Amino acid sequence: MRVLMVAWLVLLCFGIGGGRAEAHAGPADPEQEQVAFDSDGVTLHGAVYRPTGDGPHPGIVLIGGSGPGPRAEYQPEALAFARAGISTLVVDKRTVGYSTSHRDFSVLADDALAGVRLLRARPDVDAQRVGLWGFSEGGWVATLAASRSATVGFVVTIGGSGLTPLRTQTWYLSNLLRHNGISSHLEEAVGGPGAAVVDGLGAFPEADFDPVRALRQVRVPVLALWGDHDVKVPSGESAAIFQRELASAGNHSVTTRFVPNAGHNGHRTTDGFDSIGGELFEGRPLGELDPGYTDVMTNWIHAVAADQAPPTSAAAPPQQPASRTPGTHPALEYAAPAALLLGFAAYPLSALGRIMLRRRPSEAGHGPRRSARAVSAIGLLATLGAVSYVVGILAVGGKLPPTAFAVGQPLPWLLLHALALALPATAAILALSAWRARAQMPAPLRRQTLVLLATAMAFVPWALHWQLFSR
């Protein structure tokens, strides 16, 4: 009896342990097959996640978001698709011709189509049922690729934008600045003239890529998803653009949906800021995939694969602020501060010229000279500082360095406000001083003073445009 009792207990323990392990593991992980393939002379490396069971299966190529993100970032989605019976290719993004300062969506679209060709050539994949999944930047790439080739069977996007990359970025930065407690004036400077300067200088890669052109050529079924806490893409505007432009292309299967409690990448989030872009954000881990997100994608793909693509339908979007349109004259935006800098620098440059020629300044006009130096210095600091600070925010993606805050503004921005306010007062002192000493002032000093006063007057409307006089 003792032996039987011990044996029964051992079997019971092993049975309980096995049951727990099986419940925890869930469906078996699909097999991964490492692959390499060519795209325009560049060898790309990736992995195919193969579903269990007999094929052929529908296939999907995953296109990642911006940055060099490795394929491991998208493993949760790859596993979810493969477990649902969809052969999934996930690829390491090319390093040739892609960087923070340069990218070409056309080249990335060619890479995506090369991945489609790889899946279509596999005997376990239904060649007529291979589509694209694009996250964030990948949404622009996926729709561009689908507009070029009839081999793409469908398109799924998550966090895709219907706006240009620059407008999308400024919208996100506005959200981020508000989230950090910064008042709207800096936000307006970043989204308006600051963005126009970056655009005019060509410093933002693919800034003016227009997704509308590609959408108007996509005639395969499209499922466009956004997290209802998406803070990086204006989902309501984007969904309306997807619906409108795809309809104009004669596309009758366009589904737009919003994933509850999800961020930009479709993963779980509390407010959209705790996980951004498929990567760690401020030390917090990437949220889990919600079954409602994966189920709607996999069920939709199987319906399309069964020639039962859902008819066009649109869900009501969450409330979000409207996006801002950057300045419409980018050349003027960076030409204006260049002219101001030249005008304010004329006085110290002329003084430098006198030093090099070893000419002593006239003793007459000492008061105007002192005021002229002050106007020149304040004008140079205010103009160069404002442009550098605002464009710097765009360059670093809104990640402001630690600094003191007051009245909802970072300290550097407040100092720029103070300089902007001090300039007209200092220019008025210069004008009064020059008027009083006009009879004794030498002709070169009179000309320099007129240039400084004219530049100071031009500074006022420019500073208003850059929100330097706003409280």
Side-chain angles (χ1 to χ4, degrees), residues 132-321:
L132 298 170
W133 175 92
F135 161 58
S136 192
E137 177 185 273
W140 289 312
V141 176
T143 51
L144 179 59
S147 72
R148 290 181 174 178
S149 176
T151 61
V152 177
F154 57 87
V155 173
V156 179
T157 65
I158 173 68
S161 177
L163 308 177
T164 66
L166 184 58
R167 280 189 66 186
T168 303
Q169 178 70 354
T170 56
W171 187 85
Y172 160 59
L173 292 182
S174 294
N175 284 333
L176 187 59
L177 292 172
R178 283 194 299 270
H179 177 71
N180 289 330
I182 297 173
S183 63
S184 62
H185 305 305
L186 180 55
E187 168 199 334
E188 292 172 5
V190 170
V197 168
V198 171
D199 190 14
L201 294 174
F204 194 93
E206 288 281 19
D208 300 315
F209 173 82
D210 186 3
V212 167
R213 295 181 180 178
L215 289 171
R216 289 175 178 171
Q217 302 298 321
V218 177
R219 294 176 175 82
V220 296
V222 174
L223 171 64
L225 302 172
W226 294 269
D228 64 357
H229 292 311
D230 194 334
V231 296
K232 296 199 76 173
V233 166
S235 58
E237 282 184 81
S238 297
I241 292 170
F242 271 58
Q243 287 283 351
R244 182 181 69 244
E245 301 304 334
L246 289 166
S248 71
N251 195 324
H252 301 295
S253 181
V254 181
T255 304
T256 53
R257 293 287 184 270
F258 302 91
V259 184
N261 304 313
H264 178 54
N265 52 15
H267 292 242
R268 289 177 181 172
T269 180
T270 56
D271 61 359
F273 290 96
D274 50 6
S275 63
I276 288 184
E279 58 188 356
L280 293 180
F281 182 70
E282 295 183 355
R284 292 187 288 270
L286 181 66
E288 296 179 355
L289 285 174
D290 191 287
Y293 166 50
T294 55
D295 289 349
V296 71
M297 290 192 295
T298 55
N299 292 338
W300 182 89
I301 291 170
H302 281 299
V304 172
D307 293 325
Q308 297 175 358
T312 291
S313 62
Q319 291 292 325
Q320 289 184 322

Side-chain angles (χ1 to χ4, degrees), residues 312-408:
T312 291
S313 62
Q319 291 292 325
Q320 289 184 322
S323 64
R324 181 183 307 281
T325 302
T328 54
H329 301 290
L332 181 61
E333 292 288 2
Y334 64 81
L340 290 175
L341 290 172
L342 184 60
F344 288 127
Y347 185 82
L349 288 175
S350 65
L352 180 62
R354 287 195 305 271
I355 293 173
M356 294 179 65
L357 294 174
R358 297 182 179 179
R359 294 178 180 174
R360 296 185 61 185
S362 171
E363 294 297 327
H366 179 70
R369 290 185 191 280
R370 185 168 50 191
S371 299
R373 286 194 292 269
V375 170
S376 177
I378 294 172
L380 286 170
L381 286 173
T383 306
L384 187 60
V387 174
S388 300
Y389 187 69
V390 171
V391 171
I393 292 173
L394 280 159
V396 300
K399 298 176 182 178
L400 293 171
T403 183
F405 278 75
V407 294

